[in-house]
Amino acid sequence: MFSPEASVHASIAARNPRRRQRTGSDDSIAQRNPKKLKRTGLTQDTFIAPPQPKKENGYAPHGDGHRLTNGHAPNGGHQADVSADITNLSIRKKGPKVDRASRGNKTDGSIVLTKNDNYVVTRLPTTPEILCDCKKTGMIRVPLDSELSDADAGEERWLGEISHERGYALAVTPTQATVWRYTQSTSPSDGSKPLTIRLPEPSNHSRHPLPICTLTSVTTEPGFLVVMPVSGKITYWDNISSAGNEDSIRQKQQGTHGTIGGMVSGEIVTRVTNAGLAGFVITLSTGRVAHLTVKDSRDRPSITVQYLRGNGASNGSLFGGLKHVFGGTGWKKDVATVKAAGGRQKTQRDIIVATSRGVFQIWDLNFDGMDSLVHEIDAREDLLQAVTGGGQISSDQREHLLEVLDFTFVPYGKELARVGHAGGFKLLVLTALSGKGVSQYGLVGLTITNGSLKVDVAHPISCYTTPRPVESSWRPQVLLPEPGQTAFITFEKSVVLLSLSKVEESPDSQLQTEAHTLPEPYQDTIDFRKDRPFWVVGCSAETLERDREHATCLVMVHGFGIVRVAALPEKDNVSTSQRARVTAKTKLEQAVFYGGMQHNLLDFSGRPEITFLPEEVESAALELSDEIMKATSSYIPAITPSMDHQLNLRATAIADLAKHLQQHYTPLSRTARWKLLWNAEKMAAARSVWSSYDSAVSKNEGKTTLLAELVDMVHEDLKVENRPDRAETDAVRHWFTHDIWRIEYIIPWAQKAIEELYSEGIQDAPSQARLISEANDLQISALETALRFREENAPLYGLYDERMEDGILISGFEHLPFFWTSDISIPDRIKVLADLSREMAISHENDAGDEGELEASIILKIAKDNPRQIQLCCQTYTEKYRWLKAQSDPQQKAMGDSLKAAYFQIRRELLVKLLDLGLADNGMMLAEKYHDMGALVELLVRNTTDTAKAFHMEGVRDEEKAELTERLKLNEHRTNTYFNRFGDEWANALFTQYIEGGRLTGLLDHGLDFRQFLTRFLRGNPAYAKIAWINEIAQHSNYQRAAHFLNIAQKDETSMWTKKTELSLCKLASLAALEKGQAKDENANKALIRKNECRMSVLAVQEQLYAYIQPTLRDALDDEAGAELVIEKCCRSLVKSKPTLRKVMERNLSMLVRRQVLEAELLIDTLTLIDAVETRSNSKPFADKRFFLALKVLKHMGLESSEPDRYELNEKLIWRRCMIKDDWESINRTELKPDTEVEVETGATALFKTLREGFTT
């Protein structure tokens, strides 16, 4: 049941007691084979110890009892790190203090994994490569106090340890250990390599826990201790050079061996704690604690193990072990951790053993084995009250939730300092309160003095609540490196930083304290990636650099290597309360600038415990995006290998920001998402412009470029002025660095700059062509790239539902700011530059050969750029008018409508003018794209016409004729294709072109395949009724529709003859429809016939009126002269008495003379106002019945039933004019008149004649 071996007080390897003991490894090293020596990673020169410093981190040592962080005691006056070789130190001149953690370790090749104002995380490059790649090692984690499962038995396992006193790291597998200097330089001149140590007598059982190895600091070169957890076998070497001897026999001879006696069955070693010169403390799985020494009183290698008991120490014998197992304080304790404090003597240490239930034992550990239990304090209730002071946990739960995970000593001189030598300590205890799926962690400051305990402070950890996995191999640890202002808590896959700095007393802090609004100390969580097998296998506080004023810790991560976490000192202008809060911007910056690093250890997805308001996230995202655009972020390097490289870095940062927001935060407002996308568009546009500029510089051979001139012309309010005193002499690169967020000002000014340069004297064609070409490149590269980027990347910015076409939003402009791609005067300036480019290409088309091949190529390029300019013009105009029309302001809506109408006209002009450049095909493609059927028809028709003319020109070669013939066939094919592709839209535009061009024959004979398009076109356009009725009869024999269109056509007809003809044809078509049975409503059809007969009767009256005045027209030279003669003779009575009516009569008689149709009421006016005309012809009968004819016209108007008031008004007007036509006053004077004369006068009146005509008709 028990091991037969008891405590061993001498080395198994026999040694001569009179033999001088080695204090180093010099002799053994000298005897070794030089070839084998090269394989050892540590040499004799490595361990040159520098002089002992008088101060440590700015604080004087506290006598012999001074403790280092985590209770590690100094050895031999606490020698400094051996890696700090004074012969290689570079001397820094006096000057401002440098923040080393912030600038990074440039000499050791460290890689910054993340950084903010509070901390920086770097990866040390010295970890052996095989330990950094979990794919190569296949290593798995394993609990220290448990055996391995069958599933994991075949995998290689390893654990790690960091010895910060000497700058070494250690990785242990079942069969070997690897030791290396994690502080060494990575320069090629450094020949040190990792040292591999074969472990003695490894366990053959794959499920046994890993050996426990530790490095000691007894000598100048670290010693090496190995403890086999199951067998209890112990091996110790004074130096690692001896331990790493490749000769197994010499390795064994140079080591000291022993065994832990008294171990019960199933009991294993779980932990070995270094107690300095006092030895080591071994913790077993049963909770027992033993004291291990590796030297005797005469400093000779000797292994002694004795168990610690409440009433003394057991010597490890069989019966002593039994007594200790079943009695005393050592049986079945759940030991959380064991830490060694300082002591009153070099060979004495105070040991504190903490159990998970909150019991603290203080042991007096002596090198001579006189160990004793000084105090045992149950702090559970005090810890529970401190942790639950906020009331988060109910009292009935406290009994089983509290767990002590770890503790550490507070460095001397801080607010939690050591208070004495007689068992007095200040501790920082890590606790956990477990709930349903959540654990509440906290740090509690304790003061232990003479067996009593007092709680000083409690810091709840709110940024990390993840429960510990049951199968976890890592127990959380708390580290408090000097100067003791920041605590580091290492969990399995996370590191928590918590500030212990006190808030400065100020009026604001006092008010916050009284209002209970004082923020908690700064705390944050650094998470490891969840998709990779990263977890902590070792950690340690770091106290290496003498001039460092910030706390750092080292974390060894499985599959990655050693990571340094440094808490940065507080800035002078930032208060503790301001520093306490983790901001959304800080989290975004870390994710953006470090989340995209390849093989990064850290996870920047955020934790559920750290949340931000959506408004804060939105504000932070916009602020960060603007800083990237302006290059004001501290994470953007001021100097890069090239401008393209810097722009690429910034573009990547903006893209990473969008991805991170989309993956880990609730969607921002629509406006904010658009603003982020616009910044990304500008960055993409700037990169394209830079590429174009860089190409122009290389081609110009020292000549200035348009962009350089343009940047110089931009107003100082629209750019950041470069400062030559800071070596900022390149204005263009300076603009790309600081001003690309205002690129919308550069784009329209590209054309304006050409005008300015023209006015300054640039008149030669080659220079003008070059400037125009560069302006085209600037506008085209910027806008094409931006709009393409917008359409392709809108989903990345959360704009999934935005409907776009060629980068232009189709709808949804409401509540959005003005789009930068159409802001300022961009559309207008693109149009002007397109016109200027076209004029340049046309004017120098035939001159290019005279001015060299380069000029010819530039002219050709300018011409080919024109279609792209036109497309950009269309896109920007469309975006602008759509935005204006979507606004609520009526004035802006009206501006949008007018701009839309102007844009359609501009577009058609620009497209058609491509014919002048010989780019009809490009014009047709754009017209097809924008469905501009008017431009498409004009382009096709004109191109066909020009091609046909060229075909019939004299002197055309056969090859040219063949090419022209193919062109004509292609245009004909296009015409037919467009019918199927665009349907009525194309057909209507084409037929309109036929009609406007007078090609009616071609229209009606277009072909049977497309007659349905023609029919729909004509039926949908009443203005073409004169053609529609012909199509209805010729193509469809539809007399009813023909009558309908003839009736429409006659309504607006002004020609007498044409109207009479149309009315006659309408009547004829109506009768034919009745005969063919096509009339759907016979009564309506008959009514139409009657109505048309009435119209024809009215026209007959107008014909009689024309015949009445026709004799007057015989002497007239033309219609205008005839109208004057008629007006002179027929309007004499209206000259003076009725000037207004005279004007009406002048208009009516002019129309009558020109054989234009008079409306019925105009005809009534003419009939009732015209004077009698004395001619040789027999016109008296018409003059006598003109009022009767007016009544007849009124009757044919059909107003009696439909508009009775209007009918009555016209009827009264006719009778009134009829009655006042004659001088009734003279007729009524019958004195001295016979009846015959009275009758004659009365019968000659218009009234009498009208009544007589009515009775006789």
Side-chain angles (χ1 to χ4, degrees):
M1 178 177 179
F2 300 100
S3 172
E5 297 180 288
S7 294
V8 178
H9 296 274
S11 173
I12 295 178
R15 296 178 182 269
N16 188 346
R18 296 182 181 180
R19 182 181 178 182
R20 179 176 57 85
Q21 299 297 319
R22 296 190 182 99
T23 57
S25 58
D26 302 70
D27 297 337
S28 62
I29 293 177
Q31 296 172 5
R32 292 168 62 184
N33 190 332
K35 294 183 179 181
K36 294 184 178 180
L37 181 61
K38 292 182 180 180
R39 299 189 61 183
T40 302
L42 306 166
T43 64
Q44 186 175 9
D45 296 333
T46 306
F47 304 101
I48 300 176
Q52 180 176 349
K54 295 181 180 181
K55 291 186 178 181
E56 301 172 2
N57 292 347
Y59 297 96
H62 190 59
D64 295 336
H66 177 65
R67 298 184 311 276
L68 296 180
T69 307
N70 288 357
H72 295 287
N75 300 297
H78 181 58
Q79 292 176 317
D81 176 27
V82 297
S83 65
D85 187 353
I86 60 174
T87 62
N88 296 323
L89 292 177
S90 59
I91 300 176
R92 179 167 54 91
K93 296 181 180 180
K94 292 184 178 181
K97 182 172 58 179
V98 179
D99 182 5
R100 293 195 175 186
S102 177
R103 75 180 184 185
N105 294 325
K106 297 182 179 180
T107 58
D108 62 359
S110 298
I111 300 174
V112 178
L113 302 179
T114 187
K115 181 182 69 173
N116 57 29
D117 292 338
N118 297 305
Y119 60 85
V120 58
V121 182
T122 56
R123 177 184 185 179
L124 303 186
T126 52
T127 308
E129 183 179 356
I130 192 171
L131 299 178
C132 296
D133 192 346
C134 56
K135 294 181 180 179
K136 293 182 179 180
T137 61
M139 296 178 179
I140 61 170
R141 58 187 139 181
V142 57
L144 292 175
D145 55 353
S146 63
E147 295 185 349
L148 198 65
S149 64
D150 292 335
D152 297 333
E155 300 286 349
E156 189 173 7
R157 305 162 283 150
W158 69 286
L159 293 174
E161 179 182 295
I162 300 174
S163 177
H164 66 89
E165 295 93 342
R166 292 290 181 262
Y168 288 94
L170 169 68
V172 182
T173 67
T175 60
Q176 66 182 23
T178 303
V179 182
W180 71 95
R181 288 280 299 277
Y182 68 83
T183 57
Q184 69 187 20
S185 172
T186 57
S187 62
S189 60
D190 190 353
S192 58
K193 297 180 180 179
L195 177 65
T196 301
I197 302 174
R198 293 190 309 275
L199 300 182
E201 302 182 26
S203 174
N204 295 325
H205 205 300
S206 61
R207 295 182 179 85
H208 283 177
L210 291 172
I212 300 176
C213 302
T214 184
L215 298 172
T216 67
S217 301
V218 177
T219 61
T220 55
E221 180 181 357
F224 188 68
L225 176 70
V226 181
V227 178
M228 293 299 175
V230 178
S231 64
K233 293 183 178 180
I234 303 171
T235 305
Y236 172 74
W237 289 272
D238 281 339
N239 52 75
I240 56 177
S241 296
S242 300
N245 198 318
E246 294 184 351
D247 189 340
S248 59
I249 298 177
R250 290 187 59 83
Q251 180 197 36
K252 185 174 181 180
Q253 291 176 350
Q254 292 173 354
T256 304
H257 308 273
T259 305
I260 303 174
M263 294 179 62
V264 298
S265 177
E267 188 177 29
I268 61 174
V269 178
T270 60
R271 187 180 296 104
V272 175
T273 304
N274 192 341
L277 293 179
F280 301 88
V281 178
I282 298 176
T283 305
L284 291 92
S285 59
T286 58
R288 293 195 295 167
V289 181
H291 181 197
L292 165 66
T293 59
V294 295
K295 298 281 182 141
D296 60 13
S297 59
R298 301 178 64 179
D299 199 29
R300 294 177 300 183
S302 176
I303 293 179
T304 304
V305 179
Q306 59 181 10
Y307 295 98
L308 301 183
R309 300 177 52 192
N311 55 355
S314 170
N315 61 5
S317 65
L318 177 60
F319 296 102
L322 286 172
K323 183 177 181 182
H324 178 61
V325 167
F326 298 105
T329 60
W331 179 244
K332 288 296 181 181
K333 292 182 297 184
D334 185 8
V335 176
T337 186
V338 177
K339 296 292 175 68
R344 294 176 295 279
Q345 299 176 359
K346 291 184 178 180
T347 58
Q348 184 271 335
R349 288 291 182 270
D350 293 328
I351 302 298
I352 298 182
V353 179
T355 67
S356 299
R357 294 184 58 83
V359 177
F360 291 85
Q361 292 181 344
I362 303 175
W363 292 82
D364 184 2
L365 199 70
N366 291 273
F367 177 76
D368 57 6
M370 301 299 294
D371 307 326
S372 62
L373 177 63
V374 180
H375 297 292
E376 182 174 271
I377 304 169
D378 188 352
R380 177 181 176 80
E381 189 62 29
D382 295 309
L383 293 173
L384 191 58
Q385 290 179 1
V387 173
T388 60
Q392 294 90 340
I393 305 299
S394 59
S395 58
D396 58 343
Q397 295 176 310
R398 298 182 180 180
E399 181 64 27
H400 61 280
L401 290 176
L402 179 67
E403 181 182 7
V404 173
L405 300 178
D406 191 27
F407 75 89
T408 187
F409 299 99
V410 178
Y412 175 76
K414 300 303 168 186
E415 61 271 15
L416 297 177
R418 180 169 183 175
V419 297
H421 298 295
F425 307 94
K426 278 189 174 290
L427 311 179
L428 195 61
V429 183
L430 175 62
T431 63
L433 282 169
S434 301
K436 295 181 178 180
V438 177
S439 293
Q440 178 181 333
Y441 301 95
L443 292 179
V444 180
L446 299 180
T447 298
I448 299 178
T449 308
N450 297 325
S452 63
L453 180 143
K454 184 183 74 170
V455 175
D456 297 314
V457 66
H459 295 290
I461 299 174
S462 59
C463 63
Y464 186 89
T465 59
T466 304
R468 290 179 57 209
V470 178
E471 71 281 359
S472 174
S473 62
W474 179 257
R475 190 177 186 90
Q477 295 186 23
V478 56
L479 308 174
L480 189 61
E482 296 180 354
Q485 295 179 346
T486 304
F488 300 85
I489 302 96
T490 57
F491 294 92
E492 185 180 37
K493 296 180 74 67
S494 302
V495 177
V496 173
L497 288 84
L498 190 145
S499 174
L500 302 179
S501 300
K502 292 184 178 179
V503 178
E504 301 87 351
E505 292 187 4
S506 65
D508 292 339
S509 64
Q510 291 178 1
L511 292 175
Q512 289 177 330
T513 302
E514 294 174 359
H516 302 287
T517 59
L518 191 67
E520 292 292 331
Y522 174 81
Q523 54 180 278
D524 196 7
T525 303
I526 303 172
D527 286 320
F528 300 162
R529 289 174 55 180
K530 302 177 181 63
D531 60 339
R532 299 291 300 275
F534 296 145
W535 59 82
V536 176
V537 294
C539 66
S540 174
E542 189 178 24
T543 55
L544 291 181
E545 295 190 19
R546 292 169 293 174
D547 58 347
R548 181 167 53 210
E549 297 182 2
H550 47 267
T552 62
C553 76
L554 298 170
V555 181
M556 187 182 296
V557 181
H558 172 271
F560 191 80
I562 297 180
V563 173
R564 174 182 285 123
V565 184
L568 302 180
E570 299 180 6
K571 296 182 178 180
D572 296 336
N573 58 346
V574 180
S575 64
T576 304
S577 59
Q578 292 175 331
R579 188 174 186 259
R581 186 170 180 272
V582 177
T583 63
K585 184 184 176 185
T586 298
K587 288 297 182 182
L588 290 178
E589 287 175 332
Q590 290 178 281
V592 167
F593 294 106
Y594 297 103
M597 292 176 58
Q598 289 186 344
H599 312 299
N600 198 332
L601 164 72
L602 305 182
D603 178 13
F604 298 99
S605 61
R607 296 194 59 83
E609 299 90 347
I610 303 177
T611 58
F612 307 100
L613 294 175
E615 296 80 7
E616 183 182 0
V617 176
E618 181 173 310
S619 176
L622 292 175
E623 182 180 355
L624 178 56
S625 180
D626 290 341
E627 288 181 358
I628 296 172
M629 293 297 297
K630 299 175 183 179
T632 57
S633 174
S634 60
Y635 297 92
I636 297 176
I639 301 176
T640 54
S642 66
M643 179 53 63
D644 184 68
H645 180 255
Q646 194 209 51
L647 293 174
N648 182 54
L649 288 177
R650 292 157 68 186
T652 302
I654 289 181
D656 290 343
L657 173 61
K659 294 176 184 177
H660 185 73
L661 289 171
Q662 187 180 38
Q663 293 173 359
H664 304 294
Y665 291 92
T666 57
L668 307 183
S669 67
R670 182 168 178 255
T671 301
R673 283 176 280 160
W674 269 106
K675 288 181 178 180
L676 292 175
L677 177 57
W678 288 338
N679 278 348
E681 294 169 11
K682 291 180 180 181
M683 184 62 69
R687 294 183 65 190
S688 182
V689 172
W690 169 258
S691 177
S692 176
Y693 166 77
D694 198 36
S695 176
V697 170
S698 62
K699 294 178 181 178
N700 286 355
E701 299 179 352
K703 299 179 182 178
T704 183
T705 62
L706 176 71
L707 184 59
E709 296 286 349
L710 183 55
V711 170
D712 184 62
M713 292 179 185
V714 172
H715 194 273
E716 56 269 16
D717 293 340
L718 299 178
K719 65 181 178 181
V720 177
E721 291 290 344
N722 58 323
R723 298 180 58 180
D725 57 318
R726 295 183 178 179
E728 297 174 351
T729 57
D730 192 335
V732 176
R733 292 177 186 270
H734 189 269
W735 182 88
F736 275 100
T737 302
H738 300 284
D739 293 304
I740 58 175
W741 62 282
R742 293 184 280 210
I743 194 174
E744 63 270 24
Y745 293 97
I746 289 288
I747 295 173
W749 260 86
Q751 178 272 327
K752 190 67 176 176
I754 294 177
E755 296 181 0
E756 294 292 331
L757 293 173
Y758 281 7
S759 64
E760 292 178 4
I762 296 181
Q763 299 296 331
D764 59 297
S767 297
Q768 291 179 348
R770 178 177 56 83
L771 291 175
I772 291 175
S773 176
E774 291 181 15
N776 291 347
D777 291 341
L778 192 154
Q779 289 188 348
I780 292 173
S781 61
L783 291 175
E784 280 188 350
T785 303
L787 295 175
R788 182 171 58 251
F789 182 93
R790 178 186 299 172
E791 189 166 21
E792 292 174 355
N793 294 274
L796 177 62
Y797 291 82
L799 301 170
Y800 303 98
D801 301 329
E802 305 290 351
R803 296 174 56 242
M804 295 186 195
E805 184 178 6
D806 293 332
I808 303 302
L809 197 61
I810 297 176
S811 60
F813 288 88
E814 296 80 6
H815 312 297
L816 288 178
F818 209 104
F819 282 59
W820 74 272
T821 43
S822 56
D823 202 358
I824 320 296
S825 57
I826 289 179
D828 298 331
R829 291 299 175 182
I830 295 176
K831 192 263 182 186
V832 174
L833 184 58
D835 291 338
L836 184 62
S837 301
R838 183 180 61 255
E839 293 170 3
M840 171 63 71
I842 293 174
S843 60
H844 294 84
E845 180 181 5
N846 299 323
D847 302 337
D850 299 335
E851 301 192 21
E853 292 298 325
L854 178 60
E855 183 66 20
S857 63
I858 290 181
I859 294 300
L860 181 61
K861 174 188 175 298
I862 291 174
K864 290 184 176 180
D865 285 341
N866 207 247
R868 298 169 69 185
Q869 291 176 287
I870 294 174
Q871 181 171 351
L872 287 175
C873 189
C874 294
Q875 290 171 284
T876 53
Y877 267 119
T878 302
E879 184 176 72
K880 190 169 186 176
Y881 84 69
R882 284 178 181 173
W883 185 90
L884 288 170
K885 287 173 62 67
Q887 304 311 301
S888 58
D889 185 5
Q891 186 175 1
Q892 288 183 318
K893 285 181 178 291
M895 291 174 60
D897 291 332
S898 61
L899 182 62
K900 181 179 180 180
Y903 156 63
F904 286 163
Q905 183 64 30
I906 291 172
R907 182 180 68 188
R908 181 165 183 174
E909 292 176 0
L910 291 175
L911 292 176
V912 172
K913 286 181 179 179
L914 285 174
L915 286 167
D916 300 335
L917 295 173
L919 300 174
D921 291 341
N922 299 85
M924 289 184 222
M925 290 176 60
L926 289 175
E928 294 172 15
K929 181 181 185 65
Y930 292 104
H931 289 257
D932 191 337
M933 296 298 107
L936 183 59
V937 168
E938 188 170 356
L939 285 165
L940 183 61
V941 171
R942 284 184 55 181
N943 183 253
T944 302
T945 303
D946 295 343
T947 304
K949 288 181 180 179
F951 183 84
H952 293 94
M953 290 178 63
E954 296 182 0
V956 180
R957 298 192 304 270
D958 293 339
E959 297 82 0
E960 295 177 348
K961 282 189 175 183
E963 184 178 350
L964 293 172
T965 302
E966 290 298 322
R967 166 65 62 177
L968 291 173
K969 290 181 179 179
L970 176 61
N971 287 348
E972 183 178 1
H973 174 72
R974 280 174 171 167
T975 302
N976 298 334
T977 303
Y978 291 155
F979 276 105
N980 298 326
R981 181 177 177 183
F982 300 112
D984 292 329
E985 190 178 8
W986 158 256
N988 296 345
L990 179 64
F991 297 148
T992 302
Q993 177 72 16
Y994 272 111
I995 293 173
E996 293 176 353
R999 301 171 58 190
L1000 300 180
T1001 303
L1003 175 66
L1004 297 175
D1005 296 340
H1006 202 277
L1008 298 177
D1009 294 338
F1010 308 113
R1011 65 181 181 181
Q1012 70 272 19
F1013 294 103
L1014 178 61
T1015 300
R1016 284 196 296 268
F1017 167 72
L1018 294 174
R1019 288 177 180 177
N1021 293 274
Y1024 304 137
K1026 292 183 179 182
I1027 306 172
W1029 75 269
I1030 301 175
N1031 181 70
E1032 293 294 341
I1033 293 177
Q1035 299 292 342
H1036 306 285
S1037 300
N1038 193 330
Y1039 299 103
Q1040 181 65 30
R1041 281 192 175 272
H1044 170 71
F1045 284 118
L1046 285 167
N1047 186 51
I1048 293 175
Q1050 62 83 28
K1051 289 181 180 180
D1052 298 325
E1053 187 57 61
T1054 59
S1055 173
M1056 280 284 297
W1057 184 89
T1058 304
K1059 186 160 186 172
K1060 287 171 60 178
T1061 304
E1062 289 171 349
L1063 288 172
S1064 300
L1065 290 173
C1066 181
K1067 179 179 179 181
L1068 184 63
S1070 298
L1071 293 172
L1074 289 173
E1075 182 179 350
K1076 294 291 184 179
Q1078 296 176 355
K1080 296 181 180 179
D1081 187 348
E1082 293 186 3
N1083 294 328
N1085 206 45
K1086 291 178 180 180
L1088 177 61
I1089 294 174
R1090 288 193 299 269
K1091 194 170 185 178
N1092 285 338
E1093 289 176 347
C1094 291
R1095 290 169 178 162
M1096 293 180 67
S1097 298
V1098 173
L1099 291 178
V1101 173
Q1102 184 173 342
E1103 285 288 353
Q1104 295 180 47
L1105 179 59
Y1106 179 79
Y1108 175 66
I1109 64 171
Q1110 189 175 17
T1112 309
L1113 302 176
R1114 292 174 183 172
D1115 299 331
L1117 297 176
D1118 52 21
D1119 290 342
E1120 185 176 355
E1124 292 178 358
L1125 290 173
V1126 172
I1127 291 170
E1128 183 180 353
K1129 291 185 177 182
C1130 299
C1131 298
R1132 291 191 300 270
S1133 61
L1134 301 176
V1135 172
K1136 297 181 179 179
S1137 59
K1138 304 291 189 300
T1140 303
L1141 291 178
R1142 177 180 172 83
K1143 291 182 179 180
V1144 173
M1145 281 297 294
E1146 289 177 355
R1147 180 196 62 191
N1148 294 347
L1149 290 175
S1150 296
M1151 294 175 64
L1152 183 63
V1153 170
R1154 292 179 174 83
R1155 305 290 288 167
Q1156 294 179 357
V1157 177
L1158 289 172
E1159 294 292 336
E1161 289 178 318
L1162 296 180
L1163 183 58
I1164 290 173
D1165 285 338
T1166 305
L1167 291 170
T1168 56
L1169 293 176
I1170 194 171
D1171 293 335
V1173 180
E1174 295 180 2
T1175 61
R1176 287 173 290 181
S1177 62
N1178 187 16
S1179 60
K1180 190 173 182 180
F1182 178 82
D1184 293 341
K1185 62 181 181 182
R1186 64 183 186 275
F1187 286 101
F1188 175 77
L1189 292 175
L1191 290 171
K1192 187 176 180 181
V1193 170
L1194 178 62
K1195 182 177 181 64
H1196 288 317
M1197 288 175 64
L1199 299 177
E1200 190 172 3
S1201 59
S1202 60
E1203 298 183 58
D1205 294 338
R1206 183 180 173 190
Y1207 177 84
E1208 183 180 357
L1209 178 62
N1210 281 281
E1211 185 181 30
K1212 289 179 179 180
L1213 178 64
I1214 294 171
W1215 285 113
R1216 182 179 179 279
R1217 290 178 178 174
C1218 179
M1219 290 179 181
I1220 66 174
K1221 183 66 177 176
D1222 300 294
D1223 186 4
W1224 288 99
E1225 185 178 355
S1226 176
I1227 295 174
N1228 287 335
R1229 292 180 186 153
T1230 57
E1231 298 89 351
L1232 304 177
K1233 291 182 180 180
D1235 289 340
T1236 306
E1237 185 178 354
V1238 172
E1239 289 178 3
V1240 171
E1241 291 179 353
T1242 303
T1245 62
L1247 177 62
F1248 179 81
K1249 294 175 182 179
T1250 301
L1251 294 173
R1252 183 183 62 188
E1253 188 69 24
F1255 280 112
T1256 59
T1257 300

